[in-house]
Short mmCIF file of all heavy atoms in Angstrom, two decimals:
data_model
loop_
_atom_site.label_atom_id
_atom_site.label_comp_id
_atom_site.label_asym_id
_atom_site.label_seq_id
_atom_site.Cartn_x
_atom_site.Cartn_y
_atom_site.Cartn_z
N ALA I 668 99.76 -63.87 -69.11
CA ALA I 668 98.37 -64.25 -69.32
C ALA I 668 97.51 -63.01 -69.58
O ALA I 668 96.55 -63.07 -70.36
CB ALA I 668 97.84 -65.00 -68.10
N ALA I 669 97.88 -61.89 -68.98
CA ALA I 669 97.15 -60.64 -69.20
C ALA I 669 97.27 -60.19 -70.65
O ALA I 669 96.30 -59.67 -71.24
CB ALA I 669 97.65 -59.55 -68.26
N ASP I 670 98.45 -60.39 -71.25
CA ASP I 670 98.63 -60.03 -72.66
C ASP I 670 97.80 -60.92 -73.57
O ASP I 670 97.26 -60.46 -74.59
CB ASP I 670 100.11 -60.13 -73.04
CG ASP I 670 100.94 -58.98 -72.49
OD1 ASP I 670 100.35 -57.98 -72.05
OD2 ASP I 670 102.19 -59.10 -72.51
N VAL I 671 97.70 -62.19 -73.21
CA VAL I 671 96.86 -63.09 -73.99
C VAL I 671 95.40 -62.64 -73.90
O VAL I 671 94.69 -62.56 -74.91
CB VAL I 671 97.00 -64.55 -73.52
CG1 VAL I 671 95.99 -65.45 -74.23
CG2 VAL I 671 98.42 -65.05 -73.76
N LYS I 672 94.97 -62.32 -72.69
CA LYS I 672 93.59 -61.85 -72.50
C LYS I 672 93.31 -60.61 -73.34
O LYS I 672 92.26 -60.50 -73.98
CB LYS I 672 93.34 -61.57 -71.03
CG LYS I 672 91.93 -61.13 -70.72
CD LYS I 672 91.71 -60.93 -69.23
CE LYS I 672 90.27 -60.52 -68.94
NZ LYS I 672 90.04 -60.32 -67.48
N ALA I 673 94.27 -59.67 -73.35
CA ALA I 673 94.09 -58.43 -74.11
C ALA I 673 94.03 -58.68 -75.61
O ALA I 673 93.45 -57.88 -76.35
CB ALA I 673 95.22 -57.47 -73.78
N ALA I 674 94.61 -59.78 -76.06
CA ALA I 674 94.64 -60.08 -77.49
C ALA I 674 93.37 -60.74 -78.00
O ALA I 674 93.12 -60.79 -79.21
CB ALA I 674 95.83 -60.99 -77.80
N LEU I 675 92.55 -61.25 -77.10
CA LEU I 675 91.37 -62.00 -77.51
C LEU I 675 90.30 -61.10 -78.12
O LEU I 675 90.15 -59.94 -77.71
CB LEU I 675 90.79 -62.77 -76.32
CG LEU I 675 91.72 -63.79 -75.66
CD1 LEU I 675 91.01 -64.48 -74.51
CD2 LEU I 675 92.25 -64.80 -76.67
N ARG I 676 89.58 -61.66 -79.09
CA ARG I 676 88.51 -60.93 -79.78
C ARG I 676 87.28 -61.84 -79.88
O ARG I 676 87.39 -63.06 -79.67
CB ARG I 676 88.95 -60.54 -81.19
CG ARG I 676 90.22 -59.75 -81.24
CD ARG I 676 90.71 -59.33 -82.60
NE ARG I 676 90.07 -59.89 -83.78
CZ ARG I 676 90.49 -59.65 -85.03
NH1 ARG I 676 91.55 -58.86 -85.22
NH2 ARG I 676 89.88 -60.19 -86.06
N PRO I 677 86.13 -61.28 -80.19
CA PRO I 677 84.94 -62.13 -80.35
C PRO I 677 85.11 -63.20 -81.42
O PRO I 677 84.46 -64.26 -81.34
CB PRO I 677 83.85 -61.12 -80.74
CG PRO I 677 84.30 -59.83 -80.15
CD PRO I 677 85.80 -59.84 -80.27
N ASP I 678 85.97 -62.95 -82.42
CA ASP I 678 86.15 -63.94 -83.49
C ASP I 678 87.42 -64.77 -83.32
O ASP I 678 87.87 -65.43 -84.27
CB ASP I 678 86.16 -63.24 -84.85
CG ASP I 678 87.35 -62.30 -85.04
OD1 ASP I 678 87.91 -61.85 -84.02
OD2 ASP I 678 87.71 -62.03 -86.20
N THR I 679 88.01 -64.79 -82.12
CA THR I 679 89.19 -65.63 -81.87
C THR I 679 88.78 -67.10 -81.85
O THR I 679 87.93 -67.51 -81.05
CB THR I 679 89.87 -65.26 -80.54
OG1 THR I 679 90.23 -63.88 -80.55
CG2 THR I 679 91.13 -66.11 -80.34
N ALA I 680 89.40 -67.89 -82.70
CA ALA I 680 89.10 -69.31 -82.77
C ALA I 680 90.00 -70.13 -81.85
O ALA I 680 89.56 -71.09 -81.22
CB ALA I 680 89.25 -69.81 -84.21
N LEU I 681 91.29 -69.74 -81.79
CA LEU I 681 92.27 -70.59 -81.12
C LEU I 681 93.42 -69.75 -80.60
O LEU I 681 93.87 -68.81 -81.25
CB LEU I 681 92.81 -71.63 -82.11
CG LEU I 681 93.87 -72.61 -81.62
CD1 LEU I 681 93.27 -73.60 -80.63
CD2 LEU I 681 94.51 -73.36 -82.79
N VAL I 682 93.90 -70.12 -79.41
CA VAL I 682 95.15 -69.60 -78.86
C VAL I 682 96.13 -70.77 -78.82
O VAL I 682 95.78 -71.87 -78.36
CB VAL I 682 94.95 -69.03 -77.44
CG1 VAL I 682 96.29 -68.64 -76.81
CG2 VAL I 682 94.01 -67.83 -77.48
N SER I 683 97.36 -70.57 -79.31
CA SER I 683 98.38 -71.62 -79.28
C SER I 683 99.64 -71.07 -78.62
O SER I 683 100.32 -70.21 -79.18
CB SER I 683 98.70 -72.12 -80.70
OG SER I 683 99.65 -73.17 -80.65
N ILE I 684 99.93 -71.55 -77.43
CA ILE I 684 101.10 -71.12 -76.66
C ILE I 684 101.87 -72.38 -76.25
O ILE I 684 101.32 -73.28 -75.63
CB ILE I 684 100.71 -70.34 -75.38
CG1 ILE I 684 99.77 -69.18 -75.71
CG2 ILE I 684 101.96 -69.87 -74.65
CD1 ILE I 684 100.41 -68.05 -76.48
N MET I 685 103.15 -72.44 -76.58
CA MET I 685 103.94 -73.63 -76.24
C MET I 685 104.05 -73.82 -74.73
O MET I 685 104.03 -72.85 -73.96
CB MET I 685 105.32 -73.57 -76.88
CG MET I 685 106.19 -72.42 -76.41
SD MET I 685 107.90 -72.39 -77.05
CE MET I 685 107.89 -73.41 -78.48
N HIS I 686 104.17 -75.06 -74.30
CA HIS I 686 104.29 -75.34 -72.87
C HIS I 686 105.65 -74.95 -72.33
O HIS I 686 105.76 -74.31 -71.28
CB HIS I 686 104.01 -76.82 -72.60
CG HIS I 686 103.86 -77.13 -71.15
ND1 HIS I 686 104.06 -78.39 -70.63
CD2 HIS I 686 103.53 -76.35 -70.09
CE1 HIS I 686 103.85 -78.38 -69.34
NE2 HIS I 686 103.53 -77.16 -68.98
N ALA I 687 106.70 -75.34 -73.04
CA ALA I 687 108.07 -74.99 -72.64
C ALA I 687 108.88 -74.72 -73.90
O ALA I 687 108.77 -75.46 -74.87
CB ALA I 687 108.71 -76.10 -71.82
N ASN I 688 109.70 -73.67 -73.85
CA ASN I 688 110.44 -73.29 -75.05
C ASN I 688 111.58 -74.26 -75.33
O ASN I 688 112.30 -74.67 -74.42
CB ASN I 688 110.98 -71.87 -74.91
CG ASN I 688 111.65 -71.40 -76.16
OD1 ASN I 688 112.88 -71.38 -76.26
ND2 ASN I 688 110.87 -71.05 -77.17
N ASN I 689 111.76 -74.58 -76.59
CA ASN I 689 112.76 -75.56 -77.00
C ASN I 689 114.19 -75.04 -76.91
O ASN I 689 115.14 -75.82 -76.84
CB ASN I 689 112.48 -76.02 -78.44
CG ASN I 689 112.25 -74.87 -79.39
OD1 ASN I 689 111.35 -74.05 -79.19
ND2 ASN I 689 113.07 -74.78 -80.42
N GLU I 690 114.39 -73.72 -76.90
CA GLU I 690 115.74 -73.16 -76.83
C GLU I 690 116.15 -72.81 -75.40
O GLU I 690 117.15 -73.30 -74.90
CB GLU I 690 115.85 -71.94 -77.73
CG GLU I 690 115.77 -72.28 -79.21
CD GLU I 690 116.08 -71.08 -80.10
OE1 GLU I 690 117.03 -70.34 -79.79
OE2 GLU I 690 115.37 -70.90 -81.09
N ILE I 691 115.37 -71.94 -74.76
CA ILE I 691 115.77 -71.45 -73.44
C ILE I 691 115.08 -72.19 -72.30
O ILE I 691 115.43 -72.01 -71.13
CB ILE I 691 115.54 -69.93 -73.30
CG1 ILE I 691 114.07 -69.59 -73.54
CG2 ILE I 691 116.44 -69.18 -74.28
CD1 ILE I 691 113.76 -68.11 -73.37
N GLY I 692 114.09 -73.01 -72.62
CA GLY I 692 113.46 -73.87 -71.62
C GLY I 692 112.39 -73.23 -70.77
O GLY I 692 111.82 -73.90 -69.90
N THR I 693 112.08 -71.96 -70.98
CA THR I 693 111.11 -71.27 -70.15
C THR I 693 109.74 -71.94 -70.25
O THR I 693 109.25 -72.24 -71.33
CB THR I 693 110.99 -69.79 -70.56
OG1 THR I 693 112.26 -69.17 -70.38
CG2 THR I 693 109.95 -69.07 -69.73
N ILE I 694 109.13 -72.17 -69.07
CA ILE I 694 107.82 -72.81 -68.99
C ILE I 694 106.74 -71.72 -68.93
O ILE I 694 106.87 -70.76 -68.18
CB ILE I 694 107.73 -73.73 -67.76
CG1 ILE I 694 108.79 -74.84 -67.86
CG2 ILE I 694 106.34 -74.33 -67.62
CD1 ILE I 694 108.95 -75.66 -66.60
N GLN I 695 105.72 -71.89 -69.72
CA GLN I 695 104.67 -70.88 -69.82
C GLN I 695 103.52 -71.13 -68.85
O GLN I 695 103.25 -72.28 -68.47
CB GLN I 695 104.13 -70.84 -71.25
CG GLN I 695 105.18 -70.60 -72.31
CD GLN I 695 105.94 -69.29 -72.12
OE1 GLN I 695 105.42 -68.34 -71.53
NE2 GLN I 695 107.17 -69.24 -72.61
N PRO I 696 102.81 -70.07 -68.44
CA PRO I 696 101.69 -70.20 -67.49
C PRO I 696 100.42 -70.69 -68.18
O PRO I 696 99.42 -69.98 -68.26
CB PRO I 696 101.54 -68.77 -66.96
CG PRO I 696 101.95 -67.91 -68.11
CD PRO I 696 103.07 -68.66 -68.80
N ILE I 697 100.46 -71.91 -68.66
CA ILE I 697 99.36 -72.43 -69.47
C ILE I 697 98.05 -72.48 -68.67
O ILE I 697 96.98 -72.16 -69.20
CB ILE I 697 99.71 -73.81 -70.04
CG1 ILE I 697 100.94 -73.73 -70.94
CG2 ILE I 697 98.53 -74.40 -70.80
CD1 ILE I 697 100.79 -72.82 -72.13
N ARG I 698 98.12 -72.86 -67.39
CA ARG I 698 96.89 -72.94 -66.61
C ARG I 698 96.24 -71.56 -66.47
O ARG I 698 95.02 -71.43 -66.58
CB ARG I 698 97.17 -73.52 -65.23
CG ARG I 698 95.93 -73.67 -64.36
CD ARG I 698 94.99 -74.72 -64.92
NE ARG I 698 93.59 -74.38 -64.74
CZ ARG I 698 92.60 -75.24 -64.86
NH1 ARG I 698 92.85 -76.50 -65.17
NH2 ARG I 698 91.35 -74.87 -64.70
N GLU I 699 97.05 -70.54 -66.22
CA GLU I 699 96.50 -69.18 -66.12
C GLU I 699 95.83 -68.76 -67.43
O GLU I 699 94.78 -68.12 -67.44
CB GLU I 699 97.60 -68.18 -65.77
CG GLU I 699 98.20 -68.35 -64.39
CD GLU I 699 99.33 -67.35 -64.16
OE1 GLU I 699 99.18 -66.18 -64.54
OE2 GLU I 699 100.37 -67.77 -63.61
N ILE I 700 96.46 -69.14 -68.53
CA ILE I 700 95.92 -68.79 -69.84
C ILE I 700 94.63 -69.56 -70.11
O ILE I 700 93.64 -69.01 -70.61
CB ILE I 700 96.96 -69.05 -70.94
CG1 ILE I 700 98.16 -68.10 -70.76
CG2 ILE I 700 96.36 -68.89 -72.33
CD1 ILE I 700 99.35 -68.43 -71.61
N SER I 701 94.60 -70.83 -69.74
CA SER I 701 93.39 -71.64 -69.98
C SER I 701 92.22 -71.15 -69.14
O SER I 701 91.06 -71.25 -69.58
CB SER I 701 93.66 -73.12 -69.73
OG SER I 701 93.82 -73.39 -68.35
N ASP I 702 92.48 -70.63 -67.95
CA ASP I 702 91.40 -70.07 -67.15
C ASP I 702 90.72 -68.92 -67.90
O ASP I 702 89.50 -68.73 -67.80
CB ASP I 702 91.93 -69.56 -65.81
CG ASP I 702 92.29 -70.68 -64.85
OD1 ASP I 702 91.81 -71.82 -65.05
OD2 ASP I 702 93.05 -70.43 -63.91
N ILE I 703 91.50 -68.17 -68.66
CA ILE I 703 90.97 -67.04 -69.44
C ILE I 703 90.25 -67.52 -70.69
O ILE I 703 89.13 -67.10 -70.97
CB ILE I 703 92.12 -66.08 -69.81
CG1 ILE I 703 92.71 -65.44 -68.55
CG2 ILE I 703 91.65 -65.01 -70.79
CD1 ILE I 703 94.03 -64.74 -68.78
N THR I 704 90.89 -68.41 -71.44
CA THR I 704 90.28 -68.86 -72.69
C THR I 704 88.99 -69.64 -72.45
O THR I 704 88.03 -69.52 -73.22
CB THR I 704 91.27 -69.72 -73.51
OG1 THR I 704 91.73 -70.82 -72.70
CG2 THR I 704 92.46 -68.89 -73.96
N ARG I 705 88.96 -70.42 -71.39
CA ARG I 705 87.75 -71.20 -71.11
C ARG I 705 86.56 -70.30 -70.79
O ARG I 705 85.44 -70.57 -71.19
CB ARG I 705 88.02 -72.17 -69.95
CG ARG I 705 88.76 -73.43 -70.38
CD ARG I 705 88.81 -74.45 -69.27
NE ARG I 705 89.25 -75.74 -69.78
CZ ARG I 705 89.32 -76.85 -69.05
NH1 ARG I 705 88.95 -76.81 -67.78
NH2 ARG I 705 89.72 -77.97 -69.59
N ARG I 706 86.82 -69.23 -70.03
CA ARG I 706 85.74 -68.30 -69.70
C ARG I 706 85.13 -67.68 -70.95
O ARG I 706 83.94 -67.39 -71.00
CB ARG I 706 86.25 -67.20 -68.77
CG ARG I 706 86.42 -67.63 -67.32
CD ARG I 706 86.52 -66.42 -66.40
NE ARG I 706 87.68 -65.59 -66.71
CZ ARG I 706 88.87 -65.73 -66.13
NH1 ARG I 706 89.05 -66.68 -65.23
NH2 ARG I 706 89.86 -64.92 -66.46
N ASP I 707 85.97 -67.49 -71.96
CA ASP I 707 85.50 -66.86 -73.20
C ASP I 707 85.12 -67.86 -74.27
O ASP I 707 84.79 -67.48 -75.40
CB ASP I 707 86.59 -65.91 -73.74
CG ASP I 707 86.78 -64.69 -72.86
OD1 ASP I 707 85.89 -64.40 -72.04
OD2 ASP I 707 87.81 -64.01 -73.01
N GLY I 708 85.19 -69.16 -73.97
CA GLY I 708 84.81 -70.18 -74.93
C GLY I 708 85.75 -70.29 -76.11
O GLY I 708 85.33 -70.63 -77.23
N ILE I 709 87.04 -70.00 -75.87
CA ILE I 709 88.05 -70.05 -76.93
C ILE I 709 88.93 -71.27 -76.73
O ILE I 709 89.34 -71.59 -75.60
CB ILE I 709 88.90 -68.75 -76.91
CG1 ILE I 709 88.01 -67.55 -77.26
CG2 ILE I 709 90.08 -68.85 -77.87
CD1 ILE I 709 88.68 -66.22 -77.01
N LEU I 710 89.26 -71.95 -77.81
CA LEU I 710 90.09 -73.15 -77.72
C LEU I 710 91.54 -72.80 -77.43
O LEU I 710 92.05 -71.76 -77.87
CB LEU I 710 90.01 -73.93 -79.03
CG LEU I 710 88.63 -74.46 -79.42
CD1 LEU I 710 88.67 -75.09 -80.80
CD2 LEU I 710 88.09 -75.44 -78.39
N LEU I 711 92.21 -73.70 -76.69
CA LEU I 711 93.62 -73.51 -76.35
C LEU I 711 94.42 -74.74 -76.73
O LEU I 711 94.10 -75.86 -76.33
CB LEU I 711 93.79 -73.24 -74.85
CG LEU I 711 95.23 -73.09 -74.34
CD1 LEU I 711 95.93 -71.91 -75.00
CD2 LEU I 711 95.24 -72.94 -72.81
N HIS I 712 95.48 -74.52 -77.52
CA HIS I 712 96.42 -75.57 -77.90
C HIS I 712 97.77 -75.26 -77.29
O HIS I 712 98.18 -74.10 -77.21
CB HIS I 712 96.55 -75.62 -79.43
CG HIS I 712 97.75 -76.41 -79.90
ND1 HIS I 712 98.88 -75.81 -80.45
CD2 HIS I 712 98.00 -77.74 -79.89
CE1 HIS I 712 99.75 -76.74 -80.76
NE2 HIS I 712 99.25 -77.92 -80.45
N THR I 713 98.47 -76.30 -76.84
CA THR I 713 99.85 -76.12 -76.40
C THR I 713 100.75 -77.15 -77.04
O THR I 713 100.40 -78.34 -77.13
CB THR I 713 99.98 -76.18 -74.86
OG1 THR I 713 101.28 -75.73 -74.47
CG2 THR I 713 99.75 -77.57 -74.30
N ASP I 714 101.89 -76.69 -77.53
CA ASP I 714 102.92 -77.57 -78.07
C ASP I 714 103.78 -78.00 -76.89
O ASP I 714 104.59 -77.23 -76.38
CB ASP I 714 103.74 -76.80 -79.11
CG ASP I 714 104.87 -77.63 -79.71
OD1 ASP I 714 105.08 -78.78 -79.25
OD2 ASP I 714 105.54 -77.12 -80.62
N ALA I 715 103.60 -79.24 -76.47
CA ALA I 715 104.32 -79.77 -75.30
C ALA I 715 105.43 -80.73 -75.72
O ALA I 715 105.85 -81.58 -74.93
CB ALA I 715 103.35 -80.47 -74.36
#
């Protein structure tokens, strides 16, 4: 989530991070990421 935060810019429209990977199955910290994007008014999409 820290890397996502570091990537954000004033002109960021959307962050898209999958919920769980289709190959290795790893589940992503979507809630942690949404806490960051919401504070900055940036939209978040997840492929679930």
Side-chain angles (χ1 to χ4, degrees):
D670 286 346
V671 173
K672 182 177 181 180
L675 300 181
R676 305 180 349 185
D678 65 337
T679 303
L681 179 70
V682 173
S683 182
I684 307 291
M685 63 175 19
H686 191 203
N688 185 258
N689 49 301
E690 291 188 43
I691 58 178
T693 299
I694 299 171
Q695 304 301 334
I697 299 300
R698 182 68 216 196
E699 293 178 42
I700 295 169
S701 71
D702 287 341
I703 295 166
T704 55
R705 280 189 167 184
R706 283 197 298 268
D707 291 343
I709 295 169
L710 298 174
L711 177 61
H712 165 252
T713 191
D714 178 355

